[in-house]
Amino acid sequence: MKYTKTKPAISFEEFYKIAKPVKHFKSLNGKTYDVQSVIDHKIKFLRVSTGEIWTMDLKGVHQAYCELTDFKTINFKPYVTRTHSPALGLLLHLGLLVK
């Protein structure tokens, strides 16, 4: 699926400001994530379907947003560890990508 960036030049500070208050978001496949905390640049969330707790580096998500032009989950691999789908889901939830 082709996505368009809504704020291609967003700074990390602005990105962090809109990401920090998020309480829930979904992956591209509809998996629900409940945010447990955001400390420094790390977001900790619960994958509701499995009960697993994950941590994702928001700096990596921001860098992926700024550098990628093709937003397939596999393309997030160099930017975030094991959280490719949640990273894309967060960007969609924040309205930084649109179809």
Side-chain angles (χ1 to χ4, degrees), residues 1-3 5 67-73 75-76:
M1 173 136 328
K2 184 78 172 158
Y3 296 102
K5 296 179 188 182
E67 294 179 5
L68 290 175
T69 56
D70 183 10
F71 289 93
K72 293 182 180 137
T73 54
N75 295 337
F76 283 81

Side-chain angles (χ1 to χ4, degrees), residues 27-97:
S27 73
L28 187 60
N29 297 326
K31 304 286 187 205
T32 302
Y33 300 103
D34 289 340
V35 176
Q36 307 291 301
S37 63
V38 179
I39 300 172
D40 295 324
H41 54 86
K42 303 282 186 185
I43 186 170
K44 184 176 171 182
F45 55 89
L46 170 77
R47 184 174 180 179
V48 174
S49 64
T50 63
E52 287 181 85
I53 299 285
W54 297 76
T55 302
M56 183 166 63
D57 183 355
L58 290 174
K59 285 186 176 181
V61 178
H62 174 258
Q63 184 180 3
Y65 178 74
C66 292
E67 294 179 5
L68 290 175
T69 56
D70 183 10
F71 289 93
K72 293 182 180 137
T73 54
I74 191 71
N75 295 337
F76 283 81
K77 191 173 185 175
Y79 302 97
V80 291
T81 306
R82 297 184 55 206
T83 54
H84 313 140
S85 184
L88 178 55
L90 181 61
L91 291 174
L92 290 166
H93 177 82
L94 295 174
L96 293 173
L97 293 174

